[in-house]
Amino acid sequence: SSGSSSERRSGESSRSRRKRTRRRRIIGWSVAGVAVILIAVTAWVGIRALLAKDELEAAVPLANSVVSSIGDGDTDGARSTADRLAQHTAAAASLTGDPVWRAFEIVPFIGDDLHAVREIAGSVDSLATNALDPLLDLVSDFGLEQFTPKDGALPVQPLIDAQPTVAQAAAATAAAHTRVDAIDTSGTLGPVTDAVDRLGGLVASADAATDAADRAVQLLPLVLGSDRPRDYLLIFQNSAEPRAAGGIAGAFALLHTDNGAISLTQQATAQDFPRSDQPIIELPTETEGIYGDITGRFVQNI
């Protein structure tokens, strides 16, 4: 009886050791598997970061080249360069937009850098796709011949037709600019900070340019009387006497615009305006104290 009991305890002990050994082996392989996965995904993110960096660095000179080509009137060259630019920005956005990359953005020390790279890549890609493409389509259709005066009037319809496209580009660049401005580089590495600053400057310049273009195509037709006739008073300064704004108001012209037609309807000099014995409006005491009693009496002092 004691012998069988001893054998039973020995068997149970042997099974227990085998279970512990199997459990340690499973844990060991699990830890090793996790380590391999972590190494693999870290390498994945690192390689993609280097590739994205190369794509973004290649995009910067191309963006500048597009602007130069547009300024030179080379729309075909601008389009070809823009296509190459879009390939680089799309590649950078794709490399930094996968779930693994996003997951690593919460990792201490490198998360801020990864987030900054993804945001700047996405901003530049949005700029190339949603702003540059439609603007190039518009530029290719624009020509100086469209603004040749006809029947004494400048055509305003091309500017009106351009408004939706320019507004779309302006909205896209403004959104990209806002996205870049929101990037926090206080904890990023030097090369990442420099890249954000450099590409952020590019986005900011594009935002300023498209905003100006949007204002121009919205306002110029109105200035030219597209909606109703308008009158403008032009005042020419004469430096015969010093004034803070540049001189006295010496000559005047009245311009009239009506659906692109511009006419000079009246001209006058300062001598054509009467001098008032009293200021034409009631002046604050402070104003009179600074400028004297000639204020509000002579058109030259307008």
Side-chain angles (χ1 to χ4, degrees):
S1 173
S2 61
S4 61
S5 175
S6 175
E7 290 175 358
R8 189 165 51 253
R9 285 196 299 271
S10 176
E12 290 175 354
S13 176
S14 178
R15 286 193 296 273
S16 178
R17 284 196 300 271
R18 285 197 298 270
K19 287 181 180 180
R20 286 197 298 270
T21 301
R22 190 181 307 115
R23 188 161 46 246
R24 284 196 295 269
R25 188 179 296 118
I26 292 173
I27 293 173
W29 280 110
S30 298
V31 171
V34 170
V36 169
I37 293 173
L38 286 175
I39 292 172
V41 295
T42 301
W44 169 271
V45 171
I47 292 171
R48 291 172 77 86
L50 292 174
L51 293 174
K53 170 181 171 292
D54 292 341
E55 298 290 354
L56 291 174
E57 287 181 344
V60 174
L62 292 175
N64 294 328
S65 179
V66 170
V67 174
S68 299
S69 296
I70 293 175
D72 295 338
D74 182 10
T75 54
D76 290 338
R79 169 59 69 185
S80 175
T81 305
D83 288 342
R84 291 160 53 204
L85 170 65
Q87 292 174 1
H88 287 293
T89 58
S94 176
L95 286 166
T96 59
D98 63 274
V100 174
W101 184 287
R102 287 176 176 266
F104 265 64
E105 290 183 10
I106 65 174
V107 177
F109 303 113
I110 64 170
D112 290 344
D113 296 278
L114 296 178
H115 177 75
V117 172
R118 177 171 63 82
E119 286 295 289
I120 196 67
S123 300
V124 176
D125 184 49
S126 175
L127 191 67
T129 304
N130 300 323
L132 190 55
D133 274 354
L135 279 181
L136 283 174
D137 291 339
L138 178 64
V139 169
S140 63
D141 294 334
F142 257 54
L144 291 178
E145 66 278 358
Q146 289 183 291
F147 299 98
T148 302
K150 298 176 182 178
D151 300 324
L154 291 170
V156 295
Q157 194 58 46
L159 293 172
I160 296 174
D161 293 340
Q163 289 174 356
T165 300
V166 178
Q168 174 190 340
T173 53
H177 193 186
T178 300
R179 185 174 177 182
V180 171
D181 281 347
I183 298 175
D184 182 9
T185 57
S186 60
T188 57
L189 297 173
V192 174
T193 303
D194 292 342
V196 171
D197 290 343
R198 187 180 181 190
L199 292 169
L202 180 67
V203 174
S205 298
D207 185 24
T210 53
D211 180 65
D214 186 37
R215 293 172 186 269
V217 297
Q218 295 290 338
L219 293 176
L220 279 176
L222 300 178
V223 169
L224 294 172
S226 63
D227 60 334
R228 59 179 172 83
R230 295 173 181 267
D231 292 296
Y232 300 94
L233 174 64
L234 299 184
I235 302 177
F236 299 87
Q237 292 177 303
N238 188 321
S239 59
E241 293 183 21
R243 294 292 188 274
I248 59 173
F252 305 82
L254 188 64
L255 292 183
H256 181 77
T257 63
D258 186 3
N259 200 32
I262 305 174
S263 57
L264 178 62
T265 59
Q266 191 177 353
Q267 298 183 79
T269 69
Q271 299 301 318
D272 295 320
F273 291 83
R275 301 181 181 184
S276 175
D277 292 333
Q278 298 294 326
I280 60 173
I281 59 172
E282 185 176 350
L283 297 174
T285 303
E286 295 83 357
T287 301
E288 244 184 315
I290 295 173
Y291 299 107
D293 59 1
I294 64 171
T295 308
R297 295 172 54 202
F298 302 91
V299 74
Q300 292 94 328
N301 294 325
I302 196 169

